[in-house]
Amino acid sequence: MKNIRNIHLRFTLLLSLGIAVFSSCERDFSDDVKFAAFSNNGDIFTDEPVGLTDEFFDSFDPNEGANPEGFGTDDNVAFMGTSSIRIDVPAPDDPDGGFIGGIFLDRGDGRDLTGFDALTFYVKGSITATIGEVGFGTDFEENKFAVIAQNIRLSTDWRKVIIPIPDPSKLIQERGMFFFSAGTQTTNGFGYTFWIDELRFEKLGTIAQPSPTIFFGQDISTPAVNGIEFVITGISQTFNLASGINQTVSAAPAYFDFSSSDNSVAIVNESGEIVVVGSGNSSITAQLANVRASGSLDITSNGVLPTAPLPMELAENVSAIFSNEYANAVESIFEPNFGGSTTNLQLLSNDDEDALVYTNNNFTGIVFSNTLDGTSRTTLHIDVYPFDESTAVDVQIRDVGANQVLETNTTTGLPDGDDVDRRFLIEGLTPGQWTSIEIPLDGNLAAQRNNLGALILAGGPNFIFDNIYFFTE
């Protein structure tokens, strides 16, 4: 029989953390200062929750599809003792939500986990499904020391799961005891049940061979100008377990110590956020618990971005897409997130002039929120700043068909059909300076420009655009 209890819904992302306040008074002699100690109890759930909030399951937001109804305890199933946590994973069409997930929070101000090296628990499923994510350190606030392991395979027998702690010395006051998220991606949409028991932090002493990575272990090079920002991604830590299995977890940036080889070129903070501040070269690297992480970002900056040429067309002859000199004729989506796109886009402000910085572009688009009637326009203008000689940007002008669908394949960036007249290759430009490009609206577009819907940008891969507008010569 399933006993539903201790359920608490999380409708906001804010929790109030208790703050310990210390007072002192003057003394004639110096005393040793004793700071408040946090609980070092590693148990989270044995036969009942240990040191957790009374309603210890905080569900993800039901407004985002989370199902809060499938969590409870089961007095008939246990690995050890008399009770276990029972989680019923819903089908995608369940009216209460199509997936289940949430966190367990410590009842007090947090726990001192520096004496442990792993989160462990026993788990079994009603079928051989896969739990999407499990971990700890998520507290619905900073999530500063979050750790996530993906694709935990279930058996119909009890199995022990080990989630290594990347650097226990960081966890002197942690509230996020457990995190999980599960759906039916591996069961063809069929719901299932899994049970968790003996959930705790342990000191195993068999967590070995740490291998941290940033940028998925790749050494990446990128051009830049002052003001461009990057975020360190692909952050993980891999350990070898006693079983011989290598367990990889995604680790929050706060576990790492990031560094820049030249802070006059680029600076990086503890959150892995990089800002380019000067010309030259800088390499961004990292360590985790004094182990050098594989992967790096090599930045070559041209310094201050020159201002793009000042447009000279009269406003009445212009239908602007992106320019500080003209009012937009239509609002646009500059990051359409096409499937398969590797593009990074940033809006860069320079002396009150904005520019669109594209790095690692394979294909992306500027999709108009409403169609644009360009019947009276004869030319598309774009100012282009290439980072290097290899820059070659394929600009594809799209109209919206009679079915009101953008006529492009948004998984490849290519047009549907052989619409070569809609494509214009920008190449042969001088690196490090602006060039004004003008593309005539002729060929097929001459009869289709009354219903323009997007610009598709393929190739590059690194360039800057400004002053994008249609005009009449």
Side-chain angles (χ1 to χ4, degrees):
M1 183 178 89
K2 185 177 175 186
N3 177 21
I4 301 294
R5 64 186 182 190
N6 299 330
I7 298 179
H8 177 57
L9 303 187
R10 173 61 52 191
F11 291 100
T12 70
L13 297 180
L14 297 178
L15 291 173
S16 297
L17 281 176
I19 301 176
V21 179
F22 303 94
S23 61
S24 63
C25 60
E26 291 188 11
R27 296 182 183 270
D28 293 334
F29 303 96
S30 62
D31 292 329
D32 290 335
V33 177
K34 294 183 179 180
F35 294 98
F38 301 102
S39 170
N40 60 3
N41 187 351
D43 289 345
I44 303 170
F45 184 95
T46 52
D47 278 336
E48 60 184 15
V50 180
L52 303 182
T53 51
D54 293 336
E55 297 175 330
F56 71 94
F57 173 57
D58 282 14
S59 173
F60 291 137
D61 192 344
N63 291 325
E64 297 179 359
N67 189 322
E69 301 300 326
F71 180 88
T73 56
D74 194 325
D75 294 335
N76 293 321
V77 177
F79 172 77
M80 185 179 296
T82 60
S83 183
S84 66
I85 296 168
R86 173 172 172 161
I87 299 166
D88 294 326
V89 181
D93 60 353
D94 190 303
D96 291 321
F99 77 98
I100 188 168
I103 64 174
F104 301 172
L105 286 176
D106 176 67
R107 178 184 288 118
D109 293 332
R111 299 193 197 181
D112 181 350
L113 303 177
T114 57
F116 306 105
D117 58 16
L119 170 73
T120 69
F121 57 91
Y122 287 86
V123 64
K124 78 168 186 174
S126 58
I127 58 175
T128 55
T130 298
I131 306 173
E133 296 180 330
V134 299
F136 59 90
T138 300
D139 57 13
F140 288 153
E141 283 197 346
E142 291 184 89
N143 303 330
K144 186 173 182 179
F145 294 111
V147 170
I148 296 173
Q150 296 181 322
N151 300 323
I152 304 301
R153 187 70 174 168
L154 293 174
S155 169
T156 54
D157 296 322
W158 289 103
R159 291 184 178 179
K160 188 172 186 177
V161 175
I162 298 173
I163 311 298
I165 301 175
D167 182 359
S169 69
K170 303 280 189 178
L171 302 183
I172 60 175
Q173 186 186 3
E174 180 57 56
R175 289 199 73 209
M177 296 291 98
F178 186 60
F179 155 90
F180 75 91
S181 179
T184 57
Q185 292 85 348
T186 62
T187 62
N188 295 319
F190 291 97
Y192 59 95
T193 298
F194 65 93
W195 294 263
I196 290 174
D197 200 3
E198 301 303 307
L199 175 63
R200 58 170 55 90
F201 289 96
E202 288 191 75
K203 177 68 173 180
L204 299 175
T206 55
I207 307 297
Q209 301 176 18
S211 179
T213 65
I214 60 173
F215 297 113
F216 302 100
Q218 299 179 335
D219 295 317
I220 302 171
S221 298
T222 185
V225 292
N226 289 4
I228 291 183
E229 299 179 358
F230 300 96
V231 176
I232 296 178
T233 58
I235 299 176
S236 67
Q237 171 72 300
T238 300
F239 288 98
N240 183 259
L241 306 182
S243 62
I245 293 174
N246 288 329
Q247 177 64 63
T248 298
V249 297
S250 298
Y255 284 104
F256 288 75
D257 296 315
F258 302 108
S259 62
S260 169
S261 64
D262 191 338
N263 286 321
S264 69
V265 176
I267 55 177
V268 56
N269 65 17
E270 65 176 5
S271 299
E273 298 165 339
I274 304 163
V275 181
V276 180
V277 295
S279 61
N281 180 268
S282 179
S283 181
I284 306 299
T285 56
Q287 290 187 339
L288 197 164
N290 297 318
V291 177
R292 169 69 184 269
S294 61
S296 63
L297 178 65
D298 189 74
I299 297 171
T300 302
S301 172
N302 292 343
V304 177
L305 176 67
T307 303
L310 183 67
M312 303 303 294
E313 282 73 34
L314 297 175
E316 58 264 32
N317 295 331
V318 170
S319 297
I321 305 302
F322 179 89
S323 177
N324 287 94
E325 304 305 319
Y326 306 108
N328 290 334
V330 63
E331 295 301 314
S332 299
I333 301 168
F334 292 95
E335 294 186 276
N337 297 318
F338 293 158
S341 175
T342 62
T343 305
N344 297 312
L345 172 65
Q346 293 184 48
L347 176 65
L348 182 66
S349 295
N350 178 32
D351 293 333
D352 297 324
E353 286 291 325
D354 297 326
L356 298 171
V357 181
Y358 294 88
T359 54
N360 198 35
N361 182 62
N362 59 346
F363 63 88
T364 187
I366 300 173
V367 179
F368 309 156
S369 297
N370 297 295
T371 56
L372 173 67
D373 185 357
T375 304
S376 62
R377 306 305 181 207
T378 61
T379 309
L380 171 64
H381 175 102
I382 305 174
D383 288 324
V384 185
Y385 179 99
F387 281 108
D388 52 56
E389 293 181 354
S390 64
T391 297
V393 187
D394 185 356
V395 178
Q396 304 164 20
I397 304 171
R398 293 282 190 274
D399 69 302
V400 174
N403 60 358
Q404 296 299 300
V405 174
L406 183 65
E407 296 180 353
T408 192
N409 186 330
T410 57
T411 61
T412 65
L414 297 175
D416 288 336
D418 187 22
D419 298 322
V420 293
D421 287 347
R422 304 183 187 191
R423 307 174 67 179
F424 187 91
L425 185 63
I426 300 174
E427 59 182 346
L429 307 180
T430 303
Q433 71 179 41
W434 288 101
T435 300
S436 295
I437 302 297
E438 295 185 348
I439 302 172
L441 303 181
D442 54 14
N444 288 345
L445 282 170
Q448 298 169 333
R449 54 189 168 172
N450 66 314
N451 213 22
L452 300 176
L455 303 176
I456 304 299
L457 313 176
N462 305 302
F463 55 92
I464 303 176
F465 274 6
D466 196 2
N467 296 320
I468 306 171
Y469 57 83
F470 297 94
F471 72 100
T472 302
E473 290 186 301

